Amino acid sequence: MQYENALSLAREAASLAAANLKKLWDVPRHVEIKNDESLLTQIDTENEKILVDFFAKHTPDFGFLGEESGIHEAQKSGQPYWYVDPVDGTSNMVHRFPWACISIGLVVDDQPVVGVVNNPIQRHEFYAAKGCHAYLNGTQIHVSSNREFDRALLATGFPVGPHHDRFPNYENFGNVSLKVHSVRRPGSAALDLCCVAAGWLDGFWEINLKPWDTAAGVIIAREAGGTVTGFEGDDYDPHVPFIIATNGILHDQLARIVRKNG
């Protein structure tokens, strides 16, 4: 497979959905609350349809896993899957907090090989393909070179709704905060991973994530020189909800602190 061709398609698809997000950003909208207490708007559903239709046309043999529409089976077993979040950061979008994006990852054998994360409000387009480096708006990016954990700037997130008690992260937040310069909670895992890739953050961890939250950002972070694992140092698996991503230098120090049960 030519990953560069898949990356070109992913960028085109993300740009279509990003244009819709930008067009409707200030338009009053109805907000629904889903079963997991996350939010759903017209933009989420419209963007997912845009992406489903685009990939069905251009890559009909690929599977598709979207946050809103679920799994669309591939026509052939073993084919790649697009993992798509039509709006990562819906809560931010609802409040007009300008930190939301379209996240598209291509996954082969449970590992991402192409990723695009497009935040049209901030005019940030992050993208990468396996073996081809990572870029922001056409400029190659790289993780930070910070070696001092006590000077690190990290990010994390917190589950909403009924998952709040199952996978608490507040104790992790407190424990890590005591040992680093500061911890942020911006509200988009895809963009947090990209911030690690760009060197704006030294690391990121989170609990209770979904495959569409991380697939695109993981390949971008990796291609920028970052390290991405599970909480136990195990290989990243998009279907396992625990993730640590760092500049690599500080990875073991962060992994020694965070725990699945908070």
Side-chain angles (χ1 to χ4, degrees):
M1 172 184 292
Q2 295 296 316
Y3 294 138
E4 295 91 337
N5 294 339
L7 176 59
S8 179
L9 286 173
R11 292 180 66 190
E12 182 179 352
S15 69
L16 293 173
N20 190 56
L21 172 60
K22 187 174 182 179
K23 178 182 71 174
L24 298 176
W25 182 260
D26 290 318
V27 176
R29 63 186 70 97
H30 174 70
V31 179
E32 298 180 22
I33 301 177
K34 297 191 289 188
N35 290 336
D36 64 357
E37 296 193 21
S38 63
L39 305 183
L40 177 68
T41 73
Q42 168 194 355
I43 300 177
D44 298 90
T45 54
E46 285 187 5
N47 273 6
E48 183 126 339
K49 185 178 188 308
I50 288 170
L51 298 172
V52 167
D53 292 347
F54 181 91
F55 288 121
K57 176 181 178 181
H58 292 282
T59 55
D61 291 339
F62 290 15
F64 184 98
L65 175 62
E67 179 177 11
E68 309 307 339
S69 61
I71 295 176
H72 301 241
E73 293 292 348
Q75 294 180 5
K76 300 177 183 178
S77 62
Q79 290 295 300
Y81 266 80
W82 294 108
Y83 284 16
V84 170
D85 193 337
V87 180
D88 187 38
T90 298
S91 294
N92 289 344
M93 178 186 68
V94 166
H95 293 276
R96 273 58 170 199
F97 182 71
W99 201 245
C101 65
I102 291 82
S103 177
I104 300 174
L106 182 63
V107 176
V108 177
D109 295 329
D110 285 333
Q111 290 301 311
V113 295
V114 164
V116 177
V117 175
N118 189 320
N119 176 354
I121 309 305
Q122 295 294 328
R123 299 179 181 178
H124 290 159
E125 184 203 24
F126 298 91
Y127 56 92
K130 186 176 181 180
C132 299
H133 306 296
Y135 296 86
L136 166 60
N137 297 343
T139 299
Q140 188 174 341
I141 54 176
H142 199 276
V143 295
S144 77
S145 58
N146 177 31
R147 294 182 172 275
E148 300 182 56
F149 198 64
D150 62 350
R151 295 189 179 182
L153 180 64
L154 308 181
T156 190
F158 301 98
V160 298
H163 304 294
H164 165 276
D165 293 328
R166 183 181 175 196
F167 297 127
N169 194 32
Y170 301 103
E171 187 174 344
N172 283 330
F173 178 80
N175 291 338
V176 173
S177 295
L178 292 173
K179 297 181 181 297
V180 299
H181 176 69
S182 192
V183 179
R184 300 286 184 259
R185 194 271 174 123
S188 165
L191 286 170
D192 289 343
L193 286 162
C194 290
C195 287
V196 173
W200 302 343
L201 295 171
D202 300 303
F204 162 72
W205 87 93
E206 195 163 340
I207 288 174
N208 198 50
L209 293 174
K210 303 297 184 183
W212 48 79
D213 294 321
T214 59
V218 164
I219 186 62
I220 294 169
R222 283 176 170 171
E223 288 297 314
T227 299
V228 184
T229 69
F231 271 28
E232 309 298 331
D234 46 315
D235 290 342
Y236 162 78
D237 183 332
H239 299 278
V240 173
F242 308 99
I243 189 172
I244 300 174
T246 72
N247 64 359
I249 303 167
L250 305 178
H251 202 84
D252 289 346
Q253 293 178 76
L254 180 57
R256 283 195 294 267
I257 302 173
V258 297
R259 296 291 181 268
K260 292 181 180 180
N261 62 358

